[in-house]
């Protein structure tokens, strides 16, 4: 029951990432805000998430996994509910920042808790966690569409209620987990980035995440669909992301190797983004959905590289890697609408495609450093950093 309670809360946590996708135009209309202002909902969320990556290990190694989970859930409940009461876009952006802190505390700890509490072995526990990630990424836009079609405020209140249920379930069913033998310092993740392979994975993931979150945060404005239709598009996108991340990525890695899969997927994502930006509306819809497949592959391989390429403890390596890549997730939602305002609506996708191509170039140039340990390891469903993907597992 402890495992299922944590996994259920994880689904809702990942739902929160894409929850606002279908209702971005509705929020802009309801608060009399521009596209670039509304996109700050993602920017504030992921900027805080990036910085929080330096803090989560420090906190959980001192107060324990259970208390860290509950603190994160409590913050999400409070700030999700406050988001629904916002009277201005500035308030909403600020409340999303608090939400991001809570989500970072929760998702960075939840996998370790699930593995520690599970009786069926770590492989089965990790598969359950990845399934929760995929289900959350797929259902977030759908929940946002259903509730947001009635009023844009309702998805925020709905998330607060679901997270409150998760808080109660974890309080009742989850016992305190053993604390790490060694406490994590705030600078450990930064020191871990001194490893060339981990730094290379983080830099490549930085450019990839710029492309990823251009799709997630800017495409709803381009599609300009009703919340239901937009939610359906991103639900299909999330299903492909989950299927390729959980089921197909490990098979492709075993057959072709992690770096070939990653490089090829990044190149295909770049091509998909160019077609998305310069095609007609139907083409844009199809390419948005298809991008979920490439994003799912990239999420899995990047995470495994980050956790396996260096000799740093996995939570520390994950925190350092996430600290770098989430800054791109914060930048893309703000820059994409600005670029569209300065130039043309197609150009943000061209920039995102270039970013994905640069990520592939880093993988190619730094192949030896990235291969050092990652290719010696059996491909696994390693997702200790939690988000995403994300989100990156």
């Amino acid at each position: 029951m402890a495992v299922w309670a944590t996994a259920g809360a994880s689904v809702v946590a990942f739902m929160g990432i894409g929850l606002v996708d279908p209702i971005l135009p509705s929020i802009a209309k309801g608060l009399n805000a521009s596209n670039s202002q509304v996109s700050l909902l993602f920017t504030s969320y992921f900027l805080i998430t990036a910085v929080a990556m330096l803090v989560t290990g420090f906190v959980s190694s001192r107060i324990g996994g259970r208390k860290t989970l509950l603190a994160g859930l409590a913050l999400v409940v409070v700030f999700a509910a406050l988001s629904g009461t916002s009277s201005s876009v500035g308030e909403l952006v600020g409340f999303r920042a608090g939400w991001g802190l809570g989500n970072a505390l929760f998702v960075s700890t939840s996998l370790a808790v699930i593995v520690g509490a599970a009786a069926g072995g770590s492989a089965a526990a990790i598969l359950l966690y990845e399934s929760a990630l995929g289900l959350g990424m797929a259902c977030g836009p759908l929940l946002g569409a259903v509730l947001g079609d009635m009023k844009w405020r309702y998805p925020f209140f709905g998330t607060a209620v679901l997270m409150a249920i998760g808080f109660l379930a974890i309080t009742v069913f989850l016992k305190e987990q053993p604390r790490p033998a060694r406490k994590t310092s705030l600078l450990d993740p930064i020191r871990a980035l001194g490893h060339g392979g981990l730094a290379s994975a983080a830099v490549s993931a930085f450019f990839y995440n710029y492309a990823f979150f251009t799709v997630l945060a800017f495409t709803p404005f381009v599609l300009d669909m009703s919340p239901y239709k937009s939610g359906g598009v991103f639900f299909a996108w999330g299903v492909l992301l989950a299927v390729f991340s959980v089921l197909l990525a490990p098979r492709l890695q075993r057959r072709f190797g992690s770096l070939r899969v990653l490089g090829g997927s990044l190149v295909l994502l770049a091509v998909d983004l160019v077609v998305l930006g310069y095609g007609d509306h139907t083409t844009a819809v199809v390419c948005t959905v298809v991008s979920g497949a490439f994003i799912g592959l990239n999420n899995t391989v990047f995470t495994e590289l980050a956790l396996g390429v260096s000799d740093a403890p996995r939570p520390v390596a994950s925190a350092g890697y996430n600290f770098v890549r989430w800054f791109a997730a914060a930048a893309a939602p703000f820059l994409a609408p600005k670029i569209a305002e300065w130039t043309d609506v197609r150009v943000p996708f061209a920039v995102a495609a270039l970013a994905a191509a640069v990520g592939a170039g880093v993988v190619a140039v730094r192949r030896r450093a990235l291969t050092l340990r990652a290719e010696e390891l059996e491909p696994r469903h390693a997702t200790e950093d939690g988000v995403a993907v994300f989100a990156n597992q």
Side-chain angles (χ1 to χ4, degrees):
M1 290 301 297
V3 172
W4 285 111
T6 308
S10 298
V11 172
V12 182
F14 290 119
M15 285 171 62
I17 296 175
L19 180 82
V20 299
D21 258 24
I23 57 172
L24 286 175
S26 300
I27 294 173
K29 184 177 180 180
L31 295 178
N32 296 315
S34 67
N35 292 351
S36 57
Q37 287 177 317
V38 172
S39 294
L40 289 174
L41 296 179
F42 286 100
T43 298
S44 63
Y45 182 94
F46 287 114
L47 186 61
I48 296 300
T49 298
V51 176
M53 285 299 149
L54 301 180
V55 178
T56 52
F58 177 87
V59 173
S60 64
S61 65
R62 284 163 174 77
I63 68 173
R66 181 176 182 272
K67 291 179 180 177
T68 304
L69 288 182
L70 292 175
L73 285 171
L75 286 172
V76 172
V77 170
V78 170
F79 284 104
L82 288 174
S83 295
T85 67
S86 301
S87 58
S88 70
V89 70
E91 286 185 4
L92 184 53
V93 168
F95 293 144
R96 278 283 285 182
W99 187 341
L101 174 60
N103 221 42
L105 288 171
F106 177 82
V107 299
S108 64
T109 311
S110 56
L111 176 62
V113 170
I114 288 174
V115 171
S122 61
I126 291 172
L127 182 59
L128 174 64
Y129 179 83
E130 285 192 341
S131 300
L133 184 152
L135 183 61
M137 290 296 289
C139 292
L142 207 58
L143 177 66
V146 172
L147 297 179
D149 191 60
M150 294 181 281
K151 196 170 186 178
W152 68 262
R153 299 179 186 273
Y154 290 168
F156 298 110
F157 294 135
T159 301
V161 171
L162 291 174
M163 279 306 218
I165 294 172
F167 182 95
L168 293 174
I170 289 176
T171 300
V172 173
F173 295 113
L174 180 65
K175 297 179 181 179
E176 185 56 83
Q177 303 297 296
R179 299 183 187 181
R182 177 181 175 275
K183 293 181 179 179
T184 301
S185 78
L186 292 175
L187 294 179
D188 280 350
I190 301 297
R191 295 190 185 103
L193 290 170
H195 186 280
L198 182 61
S200 299
V203 170
S204 180
F206 175 89
F207 288 103
Y208 155 64
N209 270 260
Y210 185 92
F212 174 7
F213 284 94
T214 296
V215 174
L216 192 62
F218 183 63
T219 304
F221 296 116
V222 176
L223 297 181
D224 194 23
M225 304 166 77
S226 69
Y228 270 118
K229 290 182 179 179
S230 183
V233 169
F234 278 96
F235 173 74
W237 170 87
V239 169
L240 275 187
L241 187 154
V243 169
F244 275 76
S245 175
V246 176
L247 300 179
L248 295 182
R251 297 180 182 180
L252 292 173
Q253 286 175 272
R254 284 193 293 268
R255 181 167 181 178
F256 299 107
S258 295
L259 297 185
R260 288 182 180 176
V261 172
L262 181 59
S265 182
L266 284 169
V267 170
L268 290 173
L269 177 61
V271 173
D272 181 78
L273 288 171
V274 172
V275 177
L276 192 163
Y278 288 85
D280 59 20
H281 188 268
T282 301
T283 302
V285 170
V286 172
C287 288
T288 299
V289 174
V290 170
S291 71
F294 306 128
I295 289 170
L297 291 175
N298 293 333
N299 285 353
T300 293
V301 181
F302 265 124
T303 300
E304 293 183 359
L305 286 177
L307 299 181
V309 76
S310 74
D311 55 1
R314 287 184 180 181
V316 174
S318 171
Y321 159 78
N322 277 307
F323 174 71
V324 173
R325 73 181 180 93
W326 285 124
F327 279 109
F334 174 73
L335 290 177
K338 286 293 186 184
I339 293 172
E341 292 172 9
W342 297 332
T343 56
D344 181 83
V345 73
R346 303 178 187 87
V347 176
F349 294 104
V351 173
L354 178 61
V358 171
V362 172
V363 172
V365 171
R366 297 290 295 167
R367 187 177 189 87
R368 181 171 296 182
L370 290 169
T371 307
L372 184 60
R373 291 187 69 238
E375 289 300 312
E376 297 174 4
L377 301 174
E378 183 114 0
R380 58 186 186 276
H381 301 278
T383 55
E384 294 189 10
D385 55 329
V387 222
V389 148
F390 291 104
N392 257 2
Q393 272 80 296

